[in-house]
Amino acid sequence: MRILVTGAKGMLGSALLPCLEPQHQVRGVDLEHFDICKEPAVEKAFRQLRPELVFHLAAYTDVDGCEVNPQKAEEVNVGGTRNVARACAEIGAALLYVSTDYVFDGCQEKPYREEDCPHPRSAYGCSKLRGEQFVEALVARHCIVRTSWLYGPQGKNFVATILKLAREREELQVVSDQRGSPTYTRHLAEKLAQLSQAKAYGIYHVTGAGHCSWFEFAQAVVKAGGYNRVRVAPVATQDLGRPARRPANSVLENRRLLQSGLGALPHWTEGLAQYVEEGRRSGELDLPGAGFRKDFLQPEGAGR
């Protein structure tokens, strides 16, 4: 199958390409190939490449940046997605669009299901939801995958940031009143490939199994890196004064994924263990040689 992946150099894109390339003719594109915000450029590229399936990963994902510059969020996440969806419709390609937990307001106590009504509270969440709406309206064969709290190689992420700070400080302050499901990009990429192979259409929630707060996640990261001297202290979201509002509850129930028979992703602690071990071996995370610990799995206070 001819497959096109936008945002191919990003954290998720770089994990997805190796999952697709053994069985498909895959073309990964990024900004240097064409700008998704420019409709003529998108149309020209799609006519030339003639993909049968498009994974649309390109996005403006800086949550606070979107709040400060909503016009850019509109141009990339809404206009860019509309352009990609229109181009898919023109050539009859299927489209898999990666969305976010931020389409929900986080006010309900139970995990969000695919059929729950979105109500974003940030410019980022609004822009991603409008992208979803264009995908649904324009592309007959579409799959919308909402995920959360991504981390992995080849990109800036929470785990790498915490490990870097742990090398420099004796105490870290991390918010304790936001809950979600950390998701390892390699695990998510494998599931995206499976969803496309199964021709699964509609909306799917796909996250690491279990859930935790950012505070509990940071505790697990510090232990995984072997930084036993570092203390992680809980703080409230309101104390940080960030521009964008975050959902207090970002947990997504992966109900349709389980119903499909494709199976859930591994527990988030397994993803963390794999990422830290791979980062230690490659040198990407610059961890102490003997500092890695695997006994942090299911850390005290971690989500289930």
Side-chain angles (χ1 to χ4, degrees):
M1 182 185 297
R2 293 187 307 277
I3 296 177
L4 179 67
V5 179
T6 71
K9 289 189 174 181
M11 188 167 59
L12 180 56
S14 62
L16 179 60
L17 291 182
C19 296
L20 301 172
E21 288 170 340
Q23 297 181 337
H24 303 283
Q25 181 182 338
V26 183
R27 177 71 181 270
V29 295
D30 222 297
L31 261 177
E32 67 266 29
H33 299 99
F34 61 86
D35 185 348
I36 62 170
C37 299
K38 298 178 180 179
E39 187 171 13
V42 176
E43 291 178 348
K44 179 180 178 181
F46 275 54
R47 290 195 192 108
Q48 290 177 342
L49 298 173
R50 306 295 300 183
E52 300 167 86
L53 169 63
V54 176
F55 287 83
H56 182 39
L57 312 184
Y60 182 37
T61 59
D62 182 339
V63 177
D64 288 325
C66 287
E67 206 68 25
V68 174
N69 189 357
Q71 182 177 351
K72 183 176 180 180
E74 175 80 13
E75 290 173 353
V76 179
N77 297 340
V78 183
T81 300
R82 180 194 61 223
N83 294 339
V84 169
R86 282 177 175 169
C88 284
E90 182 181 336
I91 64 173
L95 175 59
L96 189 151
Y97 171 66
V98 175
S99 190
T100 173
D101 53 315
Y102 277 60
V103 300
F104 297 110
D105 59 18
C107 293
Q108 76 176 32
E109 294 184 1
K110 62 182 180 180
Y112 285 92
R113 292 181 172 181
E114 288 86 351
E115 64 269 21
D116 286 334
C117 184
H119 185 226
R121 305 177 76 182
S122 65
Y124 172 66
C126 288
S127 68
K128 292 297 288 184
L129 177 60
R130 290 191 61 202
E132 288 187 13
Q133 293 166 344
F134 274 117
V135 170
E136 289 181 302
L138 297 173
V139 186
R141 293 182 297 129
H142 67 264
C143 179
I144 294 170
V145 175
R146 295 177 182 144
T147 190
S148 67
W149 295 22
L150 290 185
Y151 64 93
Q154 308 286 328
K156 180 181 177 182
N157 65 82
F158 179 82
V159 178
T161 298
I162 289 295
L163 290 172
K164 178 179 182 297
L165 293 175
R167 292 196 299 270
E168 303 168 353
R169 306 178 186 177
E170 294 184 356
E171 180 176 300
L172 307 178
Q173 293 187 330
V174 182
V175 293
S176 59
D177 53 0
Q178 297 173 33
R179 297 194 72 79
S181 299
T183 306
Y184 183 37
T185 51
R186 293 197 195 280
H187 291 165
L188 175 60
E190 291 167 1
K191 197 60 64 178
L192 295 182
Q194 291 174 13
L195 283 166
S196 67
Q197 188 70 28
K199 297 182 179 179
Y201 302 128
I203 299 176
Y204 287 82
H205 289 174
V206 185
T207 64
H211 55 84
C212 61
S213 67
W214 287 114
F215 166 70
E216 292 165 341
F217 191 21
Q219 285 183 310
V221 171
V222 167
K223 289 181 180 179
Y227 293 105
N228 301 322
R229 62 174 178 77
V230 177
R231 176 176 178 268
V232 182
V235 296
T237 299
Q238 64 180 14
D239 294 335
L240 298 182
R242 304 290 288 275
R245 299 177 70 179
R246 267 75 171 171
N249 175 27
S250 277
V251 183
L252 304 179
E253 183 178 342
N254 294 190
R255 193 165 72 134
R256 289 200 67 206
L257 184 63
L258 295 174
Q259 290 174 341
S260 72
L262 294 176
L265 268 62
H267 196 276
W268 66 266
T269 54
E270 295 182 39
L272 177 59
Q274 183 177 335
Y275 173 52
V276 172
E277 176 65 6
E278 290 174 354
R280 182 188 67 82
R281 290 176 178 174
S282 68
E284 180 177 341
L285 295 179
D286 191 24
L287 292 169
F292 178 73
R293 292 176 51 184
K294 291 187 177 179
D295 62 343
F296 78 93
L297 287 176
Q298 301 297 345
E300 183 179 354
R304 293 159 292 283

